[in-house]
């Protein structure tokens, strides 16, 4: 049985490795000259940056976490998370509900008051159950936390109104603290939230791509880079997959590339399916990488909800994840800017984006312009799935069609779900175990 895997990101490569271990003959078809997808990294002048945004290795899923850590083996630095939210020129502990004592007193009062009043109202049945993400935020956290942090931050990262977002995905993804922790944190007793991420791993050398290389090591011969799939046709019981010049034949075909790239490769897709796929929302990403002389604050990463501070929604400090990703005496800063495909950010030049981020970092007192010794920009067309209110209806139409066409979907933009690396590997493991 020969299996063609479309897309050579983390999902495609892990799938190829696990299928090969079970004796399958596999070929991975990857459009780009390098495999790795969102989990690639680049080293230039001694700085290593992840090109799909700053990545860390963590998971609640013990089996998957053990797999990732086994892959990077000794090439691992373990870190304690020290994450902040930049709010009114203060660095507030993350998650926000665990950092209330860092807030100015009036905001601290508004947050705890709103939280407790909402709890009581929910308890008395006075609040109707939420029907969208914005209502869920108010229902779960109260108006103080909602308006100081949750709504501004979420609208900045998703680039989408929270009242037009679905709430089916929030459980397990957004920290929901116990009441006692919120009260403790408001009066200044140290608490920790989102604890399965409070210690994380990162490769010492090579950035997050080191994980990819370790996974791909035994399957090098099966990977075809520079093979952009443009057509997929049924041929008897098998498939013919082409890049326009060359045809690869396979008994089965598994998609890990974005659905938006899969459907145009297929013949006679019904208009209703095309419309449903076109209606699926996602965000693109710009990463601005800055290398500086000297040190940066001792934080893992910082969320920046306030749009007035600048375009970036998150600032990471990779040189704290691994001591080897910046030259001695230098530090690394990675700013992530999410945006909609084709919007004003997409048309900004690299120089404009770098200047935007340097001004923002200066205003946050993270660095001074004359410390900058390195800068670069990376762009990712597919970064985040955005769960709008029609998401579940549209994705069901597309998935039903792919299933009836006989093409399994595995991975972040093939399943079109907000899957982190662990979620992708879990999907792969479950797929392989199902024996489909
Ligand atoms: C900003 C950001 C930060 C993140 N941080 C973390 C983190 O800290 N921890 C974590 O666990 N996860 C994190 N993630 C999530 C993680 O990056 C993804 O879960 C994972 O990389 C998805 O892998 P994938 O293989 O499913 O998809 P992708 O990496 O998107 O791979 C799809 C592949 O398909 C290829 N392709 C596309 N079209 C074609 C075509 N026509 N023919 C052939 N190939 C094609 C692409 O080139 C790509 O290589 C983060 C994601 C983002 C955006």
């Amino acid at each position: 049985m020969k299996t063609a895997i479309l897309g050579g990101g983390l999902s495609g490569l892990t799938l190829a490795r696990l299928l090969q271990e079970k004796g399958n003959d596999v070929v991975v078809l990857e459009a780009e000259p390098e495999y790795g997808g969102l989990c690639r990294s680049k080293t230039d002048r001694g700085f290593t940056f992840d090109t799909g945004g700053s990545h860390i290795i963590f998971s609640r899923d013990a089996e998957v976490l053990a797999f990732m850590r086994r892959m990077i083996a000794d090439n691992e630095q373990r870190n304690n998370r020290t994450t902040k939210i930049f709010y009114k020129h203060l660095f507030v502990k993350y998650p926000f509900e665990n950092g209330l004592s860092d807030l100015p007193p009036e905001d601290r009062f508004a947050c705890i008051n709103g939280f407790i009043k909402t709890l009581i109202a929910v308890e008395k049945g006075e609040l109707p159950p939420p029907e969208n993400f914005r209502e869920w935020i108010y229902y779960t956290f109260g108006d103080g936390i909602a308006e100081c942090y949750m709504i501004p931050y979420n609208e900045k990262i998703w680039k989408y109104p929270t009242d037009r977002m679905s709430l089916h995905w929030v459980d397990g993804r957004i920290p929901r603290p116990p009441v006692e922790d919120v009260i403790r944190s408001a009066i200044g007793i140290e608490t920790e939230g989102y604890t399965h991420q409070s210690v994380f791993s990162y490769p010492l050398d090579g950035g997050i791509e080191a994980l990819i290389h370790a996974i791909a090591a035994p399957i090098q011969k099966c990977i075809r880079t520079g093979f952009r799939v443009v057509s997929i046709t049924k041929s008897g019981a098998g498939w013919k997959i082409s890049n326009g010049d060359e045809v690869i034949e396979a008994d089965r075909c598994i998609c890990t590339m974005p659905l938006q790239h899969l459907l145009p490769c297929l013949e006679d897709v019904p208009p209703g399916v095309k419309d449903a796929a076109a209606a699926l929302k996602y965000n693109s990403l710009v990463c601005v990488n800055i290398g500086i002389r000297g040190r940066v604050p001792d934080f893992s990463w910082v969320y920046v909800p306030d749009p007035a501070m600048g375009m970036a929604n998150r600032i990471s400090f990779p040189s704290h994840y691994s001591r080897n990703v910046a030259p001695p005496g230098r530090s690394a800063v990675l700013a992530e800017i999410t945006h909609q495909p084709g919007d004003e950010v997409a048309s900004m030049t690299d120089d404009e984006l770098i200047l935007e981020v340097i001004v923002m970092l200066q205003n946050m007192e993270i660095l001074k312009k004359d410390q900058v010794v390195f800068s670069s920009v990376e762009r990712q067309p597919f970064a985040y799935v955005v769960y709008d209110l029609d998401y579940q209806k549209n994705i069901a139409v597309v998935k039903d069609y792919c299933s009836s066409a006989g093409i399994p979907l595995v991975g972040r933009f093939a399943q079109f779900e907000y899957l982190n690396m662990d979620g992708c590997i879990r999907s792969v493991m479950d797929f392989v175990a199902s024996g489909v």
Side-chain angles (χ1 to χ4, degrees):
M1 159 91 79
K2 179 166 177 181
T3 302
I5 297 171
L6 316 181
L10 173 72
S11 303
L13 297 166
T14 310
L15 182 58
R17 177 175 174 140
L18 299 194
L19 285 175
Q20 199 198 48
E21 282 172 4
K22 287 185 91 178
N24 282 246
D25 178 13
V26 290
V27 58
V28 177
L29 304 174
E30 166 56 46
E32 298 294 325
E34 315 279 340
Y35 58 78
L38 281 170
C39 292
R40 279 172 292 167
S41 312
K42 265 190 200 163
T43 300
D44 188 0
R45 280 161 277 170
F47 290 97
T48 303
F49 286 100
D50 296 341
T51 60
S54 153
H55 280 65
I56 59 165
I57 296 172
F58 72 100
S59 186
R60 276 196 187 97
D61 185 326
E63 185 187 7
V64 170
L65 183 61
F67 172 83
M68 292 192 277
R69 293 189 64 196
R70 194 168 68 245
M71 288 297 116
I72 59 171
D74 295 340
N75 184 24
E76 179 185 43
Q77 181 170 313
R78 294 285 281 163
N79 298 291
N80 292 319
R81 183 190 67 202
T82 50
T83 292
K84 303 287 178 183
I85 294 148
F86 191 74
Y87 177 78
K88 293 190 178 173
H89 283 268
L90 297 166
F91 289 99
V92 174
K93 182 175 174 166
Y94 169 86
F96 195 75
E97 320 78 70
N98 295 80
L100 297 182
S101 67
D102 293 336
L103 296 177
E106 277 305 315
D107 291 331
R108 197 185 318 153
F109 169 74
C111 289
I112 191 75
N113 190 40
F115 185 79
I116 290 172
K117 278 189 170 159
T118 304
L119 265 185
I120 295 169
V122 169
E123 202 68 25
K124 285 181 166 173
E126 290 169 1
L127 275 186
E131 290 185 357
N132 59 51
F133 183 36
R134 189 184 184 87
E135 287 178 8
W136 179 87
I137 291 173
Y138 277 103
Y139 187 90
T140 309
F141 297 99
D143 55 1
I145 297 175
E147 288 161 23
C148 289
Y149 169 61
M150 287 297 288
I151 290 178
Y153 181 70
N154 278 288
E155 298 208 333
K156 197 173 190 191
I157 184 172
W158 301 116
K159 297 289 177 294
Y160 209 74
T162 42
D163 59 354
R164 284 168 43 207
M165 286 180 72
S166 137
L167 50 78
H168 73 278
W169 58 281
V170 292
D171 274 331
R173 300 310 299 248
I174 298 186
R176 285 177 83 170
V179 185
E180 294 78 8
D181 277 12
V182 178
I183 297 171
R184 274 197 192 96
S185 81
I187 60 175
I189 301 173
E190 195 73 7
T191 57
E192 208 53 66
Y194 213 36
T195 46
H196 65 284
Q197 193 202 51
S198 56
V199 178
F200 64 89
S201 298
Y202 191 77
L204 255 177
D205 288 305
I208 201 63
E209 194 173 305
L211 172 65
I212 289 291
H213 283 297
I215 293 171
I219 52 160
Q220 288 297 324
K221 287 197 183 114
C222 315
I223 306 172
R224 282 284 310 268
T225 51
F227 193 104
R228 182 172 298 276
V229 177
V230 295
S231 86
I232 304 165
T233 46
K234 199 90 188 130
S235 159
W239 297 91
K240 285 188 172 167
I241 300 152
S242 169
N243 62 359
D245 294 325
E246 192 187 339
V247 175
I248 302 243
E249 298 200 32
D251 301 302
R252 67 172 172 171
C253 165
I254 304 170
C255 176
T256 74
M257 67 188 193
L259 286 174
Q260 286 79 355
H261 289 191
L262 171 68
L263 291 187
C265 297
L266 302 172
E267 289 175 319
D268 304 325
V269 178
V273 176
K274 284 186 184 167
D275 290 347
L280 292 171
K281 309 271 184 305
Y282 62 94
N283 271 342
S284 305
L285 176 74
V286 165
C287 296
V288 177
N289 307 317
I290 308 280
I292 67 160
R293 217 178 311 107
R295 286 194 59 77
V296 283
D298 202 12
F299 304 144
S300 310
W301 63 89
V302 176
Y303 297 101
V304 189
D306 184 358
M309 283 311 301
M311 289 177 165
N313 50 286
R314 186 168 78 130
I315 312 286
S316 312
F317 302 99
S319 45
H320 293 322
Y321 300 181
S322 157
R323 55 184 175 273
N324 292 351
V325 299
R330 307 280 193 256
S331 303
V333 186
L334 192 168
E336 291 164 11
I337 303 174
T338 53
H339 67 100
Q340 282 284 291
D343 69 3
E344 52 148 340
V345 174
S347 61
M348 285 173 75
T349 65
D350 288 2
D351 286 347
E352 287 168 340
L353 288 160
I354 290 167
L355 183 62
E356 150 75 27
V357 166
I358 290 177
V359 169
M360 178 171 175
L361 295 172
Q362 284 202 127
N363 291 339
M364 292 171 72
E365 295 179 29
I366 286 175
L367 54 76
K368 294 203 174 71
K369 196 174 177 193
D370 62 9
Q371 287 178 282
V372 175
V373 294
F374 175 88
S375 60
S376 67
V377 172
E378 297 290 342
R379 299 172 196 255
Q380 296 290 346
F382 289 89
Y384 288 101
V385 170
V386 177
Y387 289 125
D388 70 331
L389 289 174
D390 291 330
Y391 167 83
Q392 284 171 298
K393 181 185 76 188
N394 289 322
I395 195 67
V397 171
V398 180
K399 284 188 173 171
D400 281 355
Y401 175 74
C402 294
S403 163
S404 65
I407 303 180
L409 306 171
V410 184
R412 182 162 165 120
F413 286 101
Q415 290 171 251
F416 214 77
E417 289 171 26
Y418 182 8
L419 298 177
N420 273 331
M421 296 189 296
D422 61 341
C424 292
I425 295 172
R426 171 48 55 204
S427 286
V428 169
M429 286 177 167
D430 290 348
F431 178 82
V432 172
S434 73
V436 176

